[in-house]
């Protein structure tokens, strides 16, 4: 069985500060890992994905995430937060055995002026 | 710019009424997913299809929900009869499946309110 745990349902950072959103996964097989973003009143959009290539993955809008097998983590970071980053972020896990993606509960990111 | 489309975007109905939500996946995508999002439960997978065949509908209340793909360009999610606890945002997503299964493209959602 696969699952993801996102630490913190709400995270607030000041504009220009580092963004760090935490995600830990559980998987009995080598995982595929993703971060999706949801802006208000919209569907989810893929930010970045890890599929067993480079452990440091770069995505859109300046975000990146690092796969750490020893820590079973896939934390999302951005060096400098922008007001437009305010959204809900979902960590997700999948395997190559079926098409399903298991989503975490989400972390709402607030950007303080 | 290929997108998943969903209709209607908003639906308000009374308890007991039938609700039908429609989704047009991106042309060429062979997997379609239905999700429900609520504040309490987050994002839940209701059902998904590959090549129009239902593969997993274990997340769906069978007594009142049904999901179909009449053809490759249309997926439907039906609730009959609807109940207030069905109030949620329902998302459809499509993907290429197989090695590209992680790329799910989401529609804008249907916001359902059952009074």
């Amino acid at each position: 069985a696969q699952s993801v745990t996102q630490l913190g349902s709400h995270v607030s950072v000041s504009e220009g500060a580092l963004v760090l959103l935490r995600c830990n996964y559980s998987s009995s097989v080598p995982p595929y890992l993703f971060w999706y973003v949801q802006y208000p009143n919209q569907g989810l959009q893929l930010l970045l994905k890890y599929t067993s290539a480079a452990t440091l993955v770069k995505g859109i809008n300046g975000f990146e995430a690092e796969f750490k097998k020893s820590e079973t983590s896939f934390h999302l970071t951005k060096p400098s937060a922008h007001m437009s980053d305010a959204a809900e972020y979902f960590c997700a896990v999948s395997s190559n055995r079926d098409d399903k993606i298991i989503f975490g509960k989400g972390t709402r990111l607030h950007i303080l002026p | 710019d290929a997108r998943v489309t969903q209709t209607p975007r908003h639906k308000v109905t009374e308890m007991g009424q039938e609700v039908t939500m429609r989704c047009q996946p991106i042309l060429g995508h062979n997997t379609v997913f239905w999700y429900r999002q609520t504040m309490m439960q987050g994002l839940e997978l209701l059902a998904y299809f590959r090549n129009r065949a239902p593969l997993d509908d274990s997340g769906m209340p069978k007594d009142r929900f049904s999901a179909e793909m009449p053809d490759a360009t249309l997926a439907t999610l039906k609730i009959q009869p609807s109940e207030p606890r069905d109030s949620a945002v329902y998302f459809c997503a499509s993907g290429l499946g197989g090695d590209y299964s992680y790329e799910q493209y989401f529609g804008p959602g249907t916001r359902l309110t059952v009074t």
Side-chain angles (χ1 to χ4, degrees):
Chain A
Q2 297 177 305
S3 65
V4 290
T5 302
Q6 293 184 242
L7 301 176
S9 57
H10 292 264
V11 169
S12 295
V13 301
S14 298
E15 191 174 17
L18 171 72
V19 175
L20 171 60
L21 303 183
R22 300 177 187 274
C23 172
N24 288 90
Y25 70 90
S26 173
S27 179
S28 56
V29 298
Y32 294 161
L33 293 160
F34 324 99
W35 278 98
Y36 278 79
V37 61
Q38 184 179 28
Y39 297 104
N41 299 313
Q42 294 185 26
L44 278 68
Q45 177 184 353
L46 182 66
L47 258 185
L48 51 78
K49 59 183 184 275
Y50 165 78
T51 57
S52 74
T55 56
L56 182 62
V57 181
K58 295 188 185 299
I60 61 173
N61 301 336
F63 284 92
E64 62 182 37
E66 187 171 8
F67 172 69
K68 292 187 176 180
K69 185 177 179 180
S70 60
E71 299 177 8
T72 61
S73 69
F74 191 58
H75 302 330
L76 182 71
T77 60
K78 181 174 180 177
S80 177
H82 193 272
M83 295 300 290
S84 61
D85 295 327
E88 187 149 21
Y89 292 80
F90 293 87
C91 182
V93 63
S94 181
S95 76
N96 60 0
R97 301 202 175 165
D98 62 38
D99 301 306
K100 290 192 291 187
I101 291 180
I102 309 301
F103 287 89
K105 295 288 189 185
T107 296
R108 187 167 296 277
L109 177 63
H110 305 270
I111 309 298
L112 307 174
Chain B
D1 185 20
R3 297 186 183 191
V4 175
T5 58
Q6 291 186 246
T7 56
R9 292 294 311 277
H10 302 272
K11 177 72 176 179
V12 180
T13 191
E14 293 183 347
M15 182 173 61
Q17 296 299 304
E18 178 179 299
V19 175
T20 298
M21 291 169 270
R22 293 177 175 81
C23 166
Q24 182 172 15
I26 293 173
L27 191 64
H29 283 188
N30 64 349
T31 57
V32 173
F33 304 81
W34 282 106
Y35 292 92
R36 176 171 62 184
Q37 186 178 40
T38 61
M39 290 290 292
M40 294 300 294
Q41 300 297 326
L43 200 61
E44 303 173 275
L45 177 65
L46 296 176
Y48 86 97
F49 297 77
R50 187 194 300 146
N51 296 323
R52 295 177 55 202
L55 287 192
D56 186 349
D57 61 0
S58 58
M60 204 163 65
K62 302 287 192 305
D63 56 339
R64 300 182 300 109
F65 284 59
S66 62
E68 295 179 344
M69 280 201 74
D71 62 60
T73 64
L74 177 64
T76 62
L77 180 66
K78 198 169 292 187
I79 308 174
Q80 168 63 21
S82 58
E83 297 181 1
R85 59 178 167 153
D86 301 328
S87 297
V89 180
Y90 291 81
F91 288 104
C92 174
S94 71
L96 284 169
D99 289 341
Y100 302 95
S101 63
Y102 43 83
E103 298 272 10
Q104 289 188 19
Y105 295 81
F106 280 73
T110 294
R111 183 174 295 275
L112 174 65
T113 303
V114 183
T115 61

